[in-house]
Structure formats: C-alpha cells, structure tokens
C-alpha cells in the first residue's frame, strides 16, 4: 500500500529575480514500511521535495497524495491537522521544546491529538525506552547530547502513530557514534513496527542503511534503487 | 500542557519577564496612588467647601441670588428652617441674614459678605465654631461681636478685640454703619471663609438692617447617605415660592470637579495602560521572534494557529497576573499608610491654601477602583499580546524552520 504518491511535481520559486526551478517533474511512490533515503548534492531539491511530501509547502504543479488523501491544494488550516494525524517529522536541528522535559516533548504531540493522559504517559515512556533514553525522561533536552536529543525527536515523531516519518538530514549535526546509534534505532523501528521512514540526506552512513535510495539532481530523480 | 508551556515560557528569559512584571507593578502602583492622591485632593477640597461653607442644600428667595438685595427674603424663613430640621435625612438647618457691604479697620477697608447667623444652628451646619483659631465663638464680647477670616484679618491688620466698622445699605436702601469688635478669627482653606465673609449675630444685623427677623438663606446639612435631591424636591413642592438647590446647583464648579474625578481615573488609566501596552508588545514580540523556529516546528507537527495564538496570549496574561497582585498590594499598602498618616504638603501649604486645599492630604480610593484596575491590566495584557500573537500565527512553518 502506498503512503506517498507524488505525480509530476514541480516547484518554482519566483521570489528571486530569476525564477528558480527547484523540482522538475518528480514522480515518486513510497510504500508502507519502506526505509527510503532521498540523496543528492546540496541544492538538488531534497528539502523542497520533503517539504511538499510533508504538506509543509505546496507544489507549483503536480499532485501529492498522502495516505490516500490528495493534499495538493488542501488549505493550510486543514493541512496542520492532517500533518498532526498522518505525518511524523524529524528535523536536522532536533527542534525540541526546551522548557519541557524529554517525556513531555514526546507527550506533547499526543496532547495535540487529544489522547488521554494515561495513554500519553504509557506511550511516551514506551517510546523513550525503545530509544534507550527512558532514564532521561524527566530531564530537559539541553541536558542531553545531540544524538540523545535526536532520539527524543524520533520518539516524538513516532508518538502520533503517523503513516510515515519524514526526516530532513537527521544526522547532519551528529557525530559518528550518535549517527550509528540513531540509525540502528530507526532501522529497528522500521523492521519491528513496520514504520515508514523517508530521509533526505547526503550522509553516506544513512545511505548505507537505506533499503531504497532515490537520487536527485537538479530537481529531477536520476536514479531509484531498491536494495534487499 | 499549553498553559504549562506558556508559564514556563514566561520564565525562559527571567530578566526580561521581570522587567515587564516590574513595569506592571509600577504602573498599577502609580495608577492607584495617583488616583488616590487626586481623589484626596478633590474629596478634601469638596468636603471643606460643602461642610464649612455652602452646605448640602441652600434655600433662597428665587430673586435673592441675582443681586443679593436684602428685600428678597424667605417668607417665614425661621419657621421653614425649623420644619426642615424635622425631615428625614436632615442633620441640621440654619438661617442667615445676608447683606453685601464694606468692612473697615483704622488701616484698610475691604468688600465683604456680612452674614448674620443663628449661632447654635450655624455650628451644627458649618462647624464654624470649630474653625475659630483665635478668640472665641461669640463669647466674651457682648456688644456687636464679629468673626472674620484669618486672611481678612491680616488684610485689615486687625486682631481679636480690634474694632471694625461695617457699612451697608439697610432694608430701605439707606447707607448704614455699625461698629463691631472682633471676637474670633477663623482659619479655613476655604477662600470665602478666610477672606470674604464676616459673621455677626443675626439679631445684630437684622437690627441694623431694620428688617425684623427676616432671613435670606437657609443652609441645610444632610446625613451622608441622604438623597439630597429628594429633600430639595420635597422642599420645593412644600414651599413653591422658594428655591431650594443642592450643592451641585449652588456650586456647579464642584459638580464638574466631581465628575472630572470620575473621568480622571480613566484618563490616567488609559495613559498608564498605553505605556504598558508598548512594554508588553516589545517583550512579547522579542519572545516570538527569538522562538520563530520553535513556533514553526509546533505548527509543522500539527499545532494549529488558534493554539499558537492562545499560547502567546496566555503567556502575556500570566505576566499580567504575576504583576497585577503585587502592584495592587503595593498600591493598597501605600494608600493605606498615607490614608492614616496623610501626605504632608505643608511645604506648599501657602500655595495650596490660597486655592482652598488642605496642606495634609489623605489619599483615598473606592474599592471598585481595584477591580477596575485589575480588569484594565488583563485587558492591557490581552491588547499587548494581540500583535505578537498575530505575528506568530502568520508564520509559515517551512520558512520558520529554516530561520537561523
């Protein structure tokens, strides 16, 4: 079952003196349970594509279907709720809420989904345990290393039980050990819970772990390779 | 958790929040004390004039106040005053015979309003006896005693027991004069009492005027909670030939001051609140701008705009809710202290007294002002939060997430 279906996506930024064509006719379908890396050099359109797939930005042309829903022209107010229920996000800079504890950061997304306190507590602790940082539950993000913070961010992304998780350069700020740990963690989630991950990266270590590698160049897919 | 985040965000930049809370405290304190101070001025001033001079209600022949001609007296004035004294809500009523004239000492002369008073009832109505600073209240001099104000005494260069001459037109329009001896000198912040009135016994004045026991004015003092207007209406209905007026009509400038005080609170509040709004907008805008990325993340992961808006609003209201009770307490304590001890303005007493103000001021505010101020602070906080909150919800997550 496909969780993402993008057809003929283009994105042109017209704010600059010379229009920039960031994406030129992207066709991409991601199936449930995939562990996909979108790779390519800087400026090839990886982040733009992820933003469009995640409903954070609208394509100039083409259609995007996420979990069976066409989000191409969906209003921003509806998209916010759609993202809450459907998509998990992991950002390069972690973007945790500094005034909350790590557990509260994970819980927060479930609170927005109006889940009960008992369910929030249980799932937040489960996820932090799976990420190996349950002992840091009551600490603030600033008390953790970058790798640990990114694991909290992954736990937060999983907390909402999304159809898939979009991760924009998740290892860009991490050292090699943290990167390896984080990738192992995400690979395990993918295998054990069939969680769908789509990364943008140019980190070879992430590329090595990916089951599918989509390569972009100048806003076009130049290769799409699936590994066993 | 939204409230928890908002509360924690308030303390994220402790110094900045404390500055805003401090400005709220100072703003509320200034508002309460300023209002209390002004109120103390006005209430004291008005109380002095009403209690010692014009009284709550005055009754005249409708023609009398046009040119204070002695022929326009109140018919059966003494009987009417006696009747009014028995009415509910009336604490006292006194009669006066009034004539304009000149007072002369060996050194100087001055224009005065000569008031022939009923000694007992005048003391009940205007407490004239309590204002006597030198000499006595018509005791010790049997023939033509007179009481004058301290300023007038100073102008004339007279003291207690000095002789003065009153000159005026009698009931038939002839110029008449009488020699009086100063029995007492009254001191009051009221300019008319201090400078313009000369008090004699009613019998002495009516004898010189040759008008029998006729009176020109009945002054009525009411109980504090009494409905002055109802008493006036009752009098005018009972005695339609006369004209009874409340102090609001007798001294319309006082009524204007009374109304001005009411609006002054709102003027002062508006000024202080506008200053506070700018402080709050500045702080909250900084708080929003430095959290662009975080707010972008919140909207990216699914926090809707209404929640973001409410979060910023609640943060601001929290600032107000921390500052308001402290400001109210500090303001209340200051007012309480000065209400008992008074603010000593004796350094400026000469200037103040020349305007009819007392040199010891007792600030006072009505309890409702605390409530109005609290509401005002919350409204100010909400107004101050609107622009920053609007700025926050206008964020595009995709742009905010990539802000450095």
């Amino acid at each position: 079952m496909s969780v993402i279906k993008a057809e003929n996506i283009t994105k042109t930024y017209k704010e600059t003196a010379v229009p920039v064509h960031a994406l030129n006719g992207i066709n991409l379908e991601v199936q449930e349970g995939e562990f996909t890396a979108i790779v390519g050099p800087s400026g090839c359109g990886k982040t733009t594509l992820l933003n469009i797939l995640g409903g954070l930005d609208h394509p100039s042309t083409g259609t995007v279907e996420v979990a069976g829903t066409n989000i191409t022209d969906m209003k921003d107010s509806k998209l916010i709720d759609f993202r809450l229920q459907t998509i998990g996000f992991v950002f390069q800079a972690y973007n945790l809420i500094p005034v909350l504890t790590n557990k509260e950061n994970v819980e927060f997304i479930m609170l927005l989904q109006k889940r009960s306190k008992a369910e929030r507590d249980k799932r937040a602790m489960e996820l932090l345990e799976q990420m190996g940082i349950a002992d840091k539950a009551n600490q603030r993000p600033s008390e953790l290393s970058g790798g640990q913070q990114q694991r909290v961010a992954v736990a937060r992304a999983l907390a909402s039980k999304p159809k898939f998780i979009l991760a924009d350069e998740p290892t860009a700020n991490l050292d090699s050990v943290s990167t390896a740990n984080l990738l192992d963690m995400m690979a395990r989630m993918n295998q054990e819970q069939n969680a769908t991950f789509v990364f943008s990266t140019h980190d070879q270590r992430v590329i090595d772990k990916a089951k599918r590698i989509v390569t972009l160049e100048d806003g076009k897919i130049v290769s799409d390779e699936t590994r066993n | 958790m939204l409230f928890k985040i908002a509360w924690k965000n308030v303390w994220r930049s402790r110094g900045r929040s404390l500055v805003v809370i401090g400005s709220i405290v100072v703003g509320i304190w200034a508002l309460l004390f300023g209002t209390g101070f002004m109120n103390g001025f006005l209430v004291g001033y008005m109380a002095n004039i009403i209690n010692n001079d014009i009284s709550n209600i005055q009754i005249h022949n409708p023609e009398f106040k046009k040119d204070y001609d002695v022929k326009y007296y109140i018919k059966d004035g003494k009987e009417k005053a006696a009747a009014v004294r028995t009415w509910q809500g009336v604490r006292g009523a006194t009669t006066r015979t009034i004539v304009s004239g000149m007072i002369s000492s060996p050194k100087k002369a001055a224009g005065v309003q000569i008031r022939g008073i009923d000694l007992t009832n005048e003391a009940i109505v205007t407490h004239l006896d309590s204002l006597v600073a030198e000499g006595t209240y018509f005791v010790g001099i049997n023939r033509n005693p007179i009481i004058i104000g301290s300023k007038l005494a100073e102008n004339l260069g007279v003291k207690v027991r000095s002789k003065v001459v009153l000159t005026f037109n009698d009931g038939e329009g002839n110029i008449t004069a009488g020699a009086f001896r100063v029995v007492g000198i009254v001191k009051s912040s009221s300019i008319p009492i201090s400078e313009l009135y000369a008090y004699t016994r009613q019998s002495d004045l009516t004898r010189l005027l040759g008008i029998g026991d006729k009176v020109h004015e009945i002054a009525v003092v009411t109980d504090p909670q009494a409905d002055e207007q109802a008493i006036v209406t009752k009098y005018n209905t009972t005695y339609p030939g006369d004209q009874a007026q409340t102090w609001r009509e007798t001294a319309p400038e006082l009524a204007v001051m009374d109304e001005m005080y009411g609006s002054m609170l709102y003027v002062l509040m508006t000024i202080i609140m506008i200053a506070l709004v700018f402080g709050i907008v500045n702080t909250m805008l900084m708080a929003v701008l430095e959290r662009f990325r975080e707010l972008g993340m919140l909207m990216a992961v699914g926090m809707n705009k209404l929640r973001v808006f409410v979060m910023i609003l609640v943060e601001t209201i929290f600032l107000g809710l921390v500052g308001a009770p402290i400001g109210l307490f500090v303001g209340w304590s200051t007012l309480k202290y000065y209400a008992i001890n008074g603010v000593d303005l004796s350094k400026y007493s000469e200037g103040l007294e020349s305007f009819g103000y007392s040199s010891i001021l007792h600030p006072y505010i009505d309890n409702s002002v605390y409530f109005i101020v609290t509401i005002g602070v919350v409204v100010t906080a909400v107004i101050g939060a609107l622009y920053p909150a609007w700025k926050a919800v206008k964020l595009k997550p995709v742009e905010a997430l990539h802000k450095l």
Side-chain angles (χ1 to χ4, degrees):
Chain A
M1 183 194 167
S2 69
V3 287
I4 301 172
K5 196 174 174 185
E7 288 181 341
N8 298 317
I9 297 294
T10 68
K11 180 69 182 179
T12 305
Y13 294 105
K14 294 174 181 168
E15 291 84 3
T16 47
V18 180
V20 176
H21 302 288
L23 298 175
N24 295 303
I26 299 284
N27 287 295
L28 179 69
E29 197 166 342
V30 176
Q31 303 297 322
E32 191 177 345
E34 278 189 8
F35 202 67
T36 303
I38 297 172
V39 302
S42 289
C44 71
K46 300 188 296 288
T47 299
T48 304
L49 179 59
L50 241 62
N51 286 339
I52 289 171
L53 298 181
L56 293 172
D57 205 354
H58 295 281
S60 302
T61 61
T63 58
V64 184
E65 225 174 73
V66 172
T69 303
N70 188 335
I71 63 164
T72 318
D73 297 315
M74 197 180 266
K75 281 186 178 172
D76 283 350
S77 54
K78 279 196 170 178
L79 264 174
I80 290 179
D81 196 50
F82 183 81
R83 288 198 297 265
L84 175 65
Q85 306 300 342
T86 318
I87 308 168
F89 290 91
V90 178
F91 305 99
Q92 182 180 331
Y94 329 132
N95 286 343
L96 299 170
I97 303 171
V99 294
L100 297 184
T101 65
N102 299 314
K103 179 168 166 268
E104 286 167 340
N105 263 285
V106 179
E107 264 187 80
F108 181 68
I109 199 100
M110 293 184 275
L111 183 92
L112 295 177
Q113 291 179 316
K114 296 178 180 160
R115 303 231 207 124
S116 71
K117 175 143 179 47
E119 189 187 353
R120 291 196 318 254
D121 272 347
K122 187 167 174 271
R123 183 153 175 80
M125 282 316 295
E126 272 174 13
L127 286 165
L128 289 174
E129 262 169 42
Q130 286 165 12
M131 291 290 154
I133 44 173
D135 57 326
K136 316 279 185 199
N138 294 317
Q139 291 180 9
R140 298 265 178 101
S142 57
E143 295 171 69
L144 304 187
S145 69
Q148 288 169 326
Q149 285 189 54
Q150 197 61 302
R151 279 193 256 170
V152 176
V154 173
R156 179 181 66 188
L158 287 164
S160 62
K161 296 185 179 167
K163 299 286 182 200
F164 65 95
I165 292 165
L166 288 176
D168 186 12
E169 307 267 8
T171 58
N173 292 344
L174 303 183
D175 59 40
S176 55
V177 176
S178 298
T179 299
N181 284 339
L182 184 75
L183 288 172
D184 286 344
M185 218 61 83
M186 292 199 290
R188 210 172 68 227
M189 290 288 165
N190 172 250
Q191 280 162 10
E192 291 174 2
Q193 298 181 17
N194 204 31
T196 309
F197 283 88
V198 179
F199 309 96
S200 73
T201 188
H202 50 241
D203 185 335
Q204 191 56 44
R205 295 163 299 186
V206 182
I207 297 168
D208 291 343
K209 283 270 181 187
K211 290 179 187 170
R212 181 183 172 191
I213 301 159
V214 177
T215 309
L216 287 187
E217 257 182 47
D218 298 328
K220 289 179 185 166
I221 294 175
V222 292
S223 77
D224 188 346
E225 175 196 343
T226 305
R227 295 173 183 165
N228 289 321
Chain B
M1 196 181 282
L2 200 67
F3 285 83
K4 191 174 179 180
I5 295 175
W7 175 250
K8 288 187 173 181
N9 278 336
V10 167
W11 301 110
R12 212 159 160 169
S13 177
R14 197 175 290 263
R16 194 169 57 205
S17 294
L18 286 175
V19 167
V20 177
I21 290 166
S23 61
I24 291 172
V25 170
V26 172
I28 292 176
W29 174 83
L31 182 57
L32 292 177
F33 191 69
T35 307
F37 197 81
M38 272 190 334
N39 198 16
F41 252 123
L42 286 174
V43 167
Y45 178 72
M46 286 169 58
N48 272 351
I49 292 185
I50 294 170
N51 295 337
N52 298 138
D53 183 5
I54 63 172
S55 305
N56 299 88
I57 296 166
Q58 283 189 9
I59 299 157
H60 302 97
N61 179 312
E63 298 298 318
F64 178 72
K65 287 190 97 176
K66 286 180 185 167
D67 57 3
Y68 288 83
D69 193 325
V70 291
K71 69 182 179 197
Y72 297 119
Y73 57 87
I74 300 168
K75 201 177 167 195
D76 303 324
K78 291 196 172 177
E79 289 74 15
K80 287 173 182 171
V84 169
R85 270 180 218 119
T86 64
W87 290 0
Q88 198 176 7
V90 171
R91 210 166 57 194
T94 190
T95 58
R96 293 173 191 144
T97 301
I98 297 174
V99 63
S100 297
M102 294 288 290
I103 186 168
S104 328
S105 71
K107 289 181 184 168
K108 267 187 179 175
V112 284
Q113 187 181 80
I114 306 156
R115 304 186 138 205
I117 57 172
D118 166 349
L119 303 190
T120 311
N121 285 308
E122 188 71 35
I124 294 169
V125 173
T126 63
H127 314 287
L128 185 64
D129 55 337
S130 67
L131 300 180
V132 175
E134 290 173 56
T136 63
Y137 183 64
F138 294 101
V139 176
I141 293 173
N142 293 328
R143 189 176 154 73
N144 286 354
I146 189 169
I147 286 181
I148 57 173
S150 53
K151 270 267 185 231
L152 183 60
E154 195 183 314
N155 291 346
L156 295 171
V158 296
K159 297 178 195 163
V160 173
R161 302 199 74 82
S162 295
K163 197 172 153 187
V164 291
V165 174
L166 295 180
T167 314
F168 46 87
N169 287 350
D170 68 12
E172 291 176 355
N174 302 315
I175 292 177
T176 185
F180 286 76
R181 198 170 287 280
V182 178
V183 67
I185 293 174
V186 289
K187 196 166 169 57
S188 166
S189 56
S190 160
I191 297 165
I193 296 173
S194 184
E195 281 184 67
L196 303 175
Y197 296 160
Y199 300 92
T200 69
R201 287 187 302 218
Q202 202 165 42
S203 53
D204 295 338
L205 186 60
T206 51
R207 191 185 66 246
L208 285 166
L209 281 168
I211 57 169
D213 63 350
K214 294 189 173 59
V215 300
H216 300 105
E217 185 171 273
I218 301 173
V220 181
V221 64
T222 63
D223 291 329
Q225 306 304 326
D227 182 352
E228 295 159 343
Q229 192 55 52
I231 295 169
V232 162
T233 307
K234 184 177 175 182
Y235 185 92
N236 287 334
T237 313
T238 313
Y239 308 111
D242 300 337
Q243 185 183 41
Q245 293 174 309
T246 65
W247 62 270
R248 287 180 180 276
E249 295 161 290
T250 316
E253 72 281 2
L254 282 190
V256 170
M257 283 175 93
D258 190 36
E259 280 163 24
M260 214 170 68
Y261 159 68
S263 46
M264 202 59 94
L265 166 67
Y266 294 101
V267 171
L268 204 62
M269 189 152 101
T270 307
I271 294 168
I272 289 175
M273 294 306 168
I274 286 173
L276 269 185
V277 162
F278 282 106
I280 291 172
V281 168
N282 181 40
T283 302
M284 291 313 294
L285 206 54
M286 279 169 73
V288 166
L289 293 178
E290 71 183 22
R291 274 154 56 200
F292 250 35
R293 205 148 139 171
E294 188 181 313
L295 292 167
M297 177 278 293
L298 289 172
M299 287 198 268
V301 300
M303 188 165 176
N304 64 36
K305 292 185 174 187
L306 179 67
R307 279 192 162 129
V308 173
F309 191 89
V310 169
M311 186 175 77
I312 303 293
L313 211 64
V314 170
E315 277 179 37
T316 321
I317 291 172
F318 276 150
L319 282 173
L321 289 181
V322 172
I326 301 172
L328 287 170
F329 177 74
V330 175
W332 174 83
S333 309
T334 313
L335 284 173
K336 201 81 184 160
Y337 175 80
Y338 283 112
I340 296 165
N341 298 300
V343 182
D344 187 1
L345 301 172
S346 50
K347 269 187 192 170
Y348 318 100
S349 63
E350 202 173 323
L352 288 168
E353 280 171 8
S354 66
F355 285 102
Y357 291 104
S358 165
S359 60
I360 300 288
L361 190 135
H362 296 273
Y364 152 84
I365 56 170
D366 199 79
N367 284 339
S368 64
V369 175
Y370 293 104
F371 178 72
I372 294 168
V373 168
T374 307
I375 298 292
V377 169
V378 173
V379 171
T380 305
V382 170
I383 293 171
L386 290 179
Y387 179 63
W390 177 80
K391 245 342 215 177
V393 298
K394 294 305 275 182
L395 275 177
K396 290 196 181 305
V398 71
E399 289 167 11
L401 281 166
H402 294 103
K403 280 242 191 267
L404 286 176

